[in-house]
Amino acid sequence: MKAKFIRLILPVFLASAAAGAAVAGTISCVPAPGNAGGAPWIRRIAIDEHARTVNMDVVRHRTKDADTMGKMRAELLSMDETQGGEPVYVFNAVPAAGSEVTSLFKLFKSGEWRLISAGVAFVGKVPVLRGVEPGIVFDCKRSDLG
């Protein structure tokens, strides 16, 4: 009986595992043309769903003549599926040594891909909201790893 059960359940398990692997992938985003205000400080977002990591190309310092670019890593905290089929990504920047503010991000699709962010500082052990940036529209492309 046990062998018969295993023969029946194994193909179902393998098919569901393959389907789950096909879902995991990467999504890469760049600011959409026509965002209000100046050039956004985040120039590229790359999310690896399987590794649960986020890499961002950001502007570290801006002058009237040039932008100094840098990298920012973040941890993918949540990836909840929505009714529309696209996940809502929630991630936080890994703070640099000596940094007082942690950045929290939410990337979601509401007709178009939008990124909202907030800066949070900890005073003692109490989180204090430092600021919320208005949403930025991004163009995102998905590539499956499965």
Side-chain angles (χ1 to χ4, degrees):
M1 179 70 176
K2 190 175 184 180
K4 184 178 181 182
F5 177 76
I6 291 173
R7 277 186 297 206
L8 290 173
I9 200 70
L10 187 60
V12 174
F13 175 75
L14 292 175
S16 66
V23 172
T26 61
I27 185 165
S28 187
C29 305
V30 294
N35 273 308
W41 69 279
I42 299 174
R43 299 290 174 88
R44 188 180 73 81
I45 302 169
I47 299 173
D48 183 333
E49 295 172 350
H50 180 70
R52 301 193 63 80
T53 58
V54 181
N55 292 304
M56 296 180 278
D57 293 340
V58 299
V59 176
R60 291 277 185 212
H61 183 70
R62 183 174 279 159
T63 65
K64 66 178 183 173
D65 298 326
D67 294 340
T68 303
M69 300 300 293
K71 303 273 185 201
M72 181 183 285
R73 290 186 51 82
E75 179 184 3
L76 184 59
L77 302 173
S78 173
M79 186 177 63
D80 295 326
E81 197 74 24
T82 62
Q83 290 181 350
E86 292 290 350
V88 173
Y89 299 100
V90 177
F91 49 99
N92 69 328
V94 178
S99 178
E100 297 178 10
V101 178
T102 299
S103 295
L104 303 171
F105 302 93
K106 180 178 179 181
L107 179 66
F108 61 97
K109 189 167 186 178
S110 175
E112 56 200 2
W113 284 98
R114 291 194 151 289
L115 177 77
I116 56 175
S117 63
V120 177
F122 288 88
V123 178
K125 292 187 177 184
V126 178
V128 177
L129 184 64
R130 289 292 173 126
V132 177
E133 291 190 15
I136 301 170
V137 177
F138 276 81
D139 288 331
C140 297
K141 305 257 186 291
R142 178 176 299 285
S143 66
D144 292 331
L145 296 175

